[in-house]
Amino acid sequence: MPTLGVNIDHVATVRQARKTIEPDPVWAAVLAELGGADGITVHLREDRRHIQDRDLEVLKKTVQVPINLELAAVPEMTKIATGMKPFKVTLVPEKREEVTTEGGLDVAGNLERIQECVKELQNAGIIVSLFIDPDDKQIEASKKVGVESIELHTGCYADASTPVQQGEELGILIQASLLAEKNDLELHVGHGLTYRNVQRVAAIPQVQELNIGHSIISRAVMVGFERAVREMKALINP
């Protein structure tokens, strides 16, 4: 049965809108854990637009579930990760002008740079995953750099405007999942997944972890964080 990683970035987004101390994303992480989250995901961006370095330090001392730290594959962020030593690092693409991550990491086009980053993280005892599009060449390149897992970008599936388009995008995810399995890569998925569209993705046999943030936080505003996490868990593990 797949596990659920809850991304708490946008709790910090609300805090940073006023540059104040609340809401504290660490509180959200604790409530997510109480609601059944199997992991906590945070993205430490280079511009520090939401999660701050202090958040990572307090999270590491507070939560009992694994921390998945999303980072750009650059020396500054790699140094932070090797110092903090989270359970897992997921390398993601990052652009200052984007509102949220817009696509997968181009592993095939940056093989040497990403491989160097992966080795440095692994030498520090950190599990490494790559956030990539469901594309054959990216999956095969991910295998070449030696990571333990990949996370497929589910944005195209989530953004599909008709049932036919959604079915086509689901088919792409299924084919990518089979290729990941063939290459002995643990499979995670995330981006744009909601209470309405998550079940078909969670039902893909190869999927071992889903990382979901915005939809859970949006529901938490209305029903509370712990309940919002429980409701998502019930959908992915019916």
Side-chain angles (χ1 to χ4, degrees):
M1 297 174 71
T3 59
L4 174 63
V6 176
N7 186 312
I8 58 172
D9 289 351
H10 293 308
V11 176
T13 297
V14 175
R15 179 191 62 192
Q16 296 307 116
R18 288 288 186 93
K19 305 294 184 185
T20 183
I21 62 172
E22 60 182 7
D24 192 328
V26 179
W27 301 351
V30 171
L31 291 171
E33 191 173 345
L34 288 171
D38 301 292
I40 298 297
T41 295
V42 289
H43 183 175
L44 185 67
R45 283 182 171 265
E46 292 179 88
D47 62 10
R48 305 302 197 273
R49 69 175 65 172
H50 39 57
I51 294 296
Q52 306 296 302
D53 298 65
R54 168 264 179 199
D55 299 327
L56 299 181
E57 295 167 8
V58 180
L59 277 169
K60 185 76 183 295
K61 297 174 182 177
T62 305
V63 299
Q64 302 302 307
V65 294
I67 294 172
N68 171 31
L69 179 57
E70 296 181 340
L71 295 173
V74 297
E76 176 203 354
M77 309 314 288
T78 303
K79 184 178 179 180
I80 290 171
T82 55
M84 179 195 172
K85 290 185 171 58
F87 176 77
K88 179 174 65 182
V89 163
T90 300
L91 297 176
V92 300
E94 190 172 306
K95 293 187 289 187
R96 296 291 176 94
E97 65 273 16
E98 67 188 2
V99 175
T100 186
T101 306
E102 295 175 348
L105 189 66
D106 182 10
V107 185
N110 299 276
L111 204 66
E112 187 174 329
R113 176 173 64 86
I114 292 171
Q115 189 168 42
E116 183 178 334
C117 182
V118 167
K119 285 184 178 179
E120 189 172 347
L121 291 165
Q122 289 176 333
N123 288 339
I126 302 167
I127 294 171
V128 184
S129 184
L130 302 177
F131 184 72
I132 61 171
D133 290 325
D135 176 85
D136 289 2
K137 69 177 183 179
Q138 299 299 342
I139 295 170
E140 290 164 355
S142 297
K143 179 65 175 179
K144 286 180 183 178
V145 302
V147 294
E148 295 89 341
S149 64
I150 56 172
E151 180 173 342
L152 296 182
H153 179 267
T154 52
C156 291
Y157 165 81
D159 293 339
S161 58
T162 69
V164 171
Q165 288 176 349
Q166 190 179 71
E168 291 172 351
E169 294 298 337
L170 182 67
I172 292 171
L173 291 171
I174 290 170
Q175 290 304 311
S177 301
L178 291 170
L179 184 58
E181 182 179 44
K182 181 180 177 181
N183 282 281
D184 296 318
L185 291 166
E186 183 174 309
L187 185 66
H188 309 159
V189 293
H191 196 82
L193 297 175
T194 71
Y195 294 85
R196 292 182 177 87
N197 65 24
V198 71
Q199 286 186 296
R200 296 176 78 186
V201 174
I204 297 172
Q206 292 78 16
V207 171
Q208 294 175 264
E209 177 180 299
L210 297 96
N211 285 297
I212 304 172
H214 188 267
S215 189
I216 290 175
I217 291 169
S218 298
R219 182 163 293 203
V221 171
M222 304 301 176
V223 305
F225 219 99
E226 192 175 340
R227 177 176 162 184
V229 173
R230 279 203 194 102
E231 291 176 354
M232 184 61 78
K233 281 277 288 189
L235 288 171
I236 68 172
N237 292 317

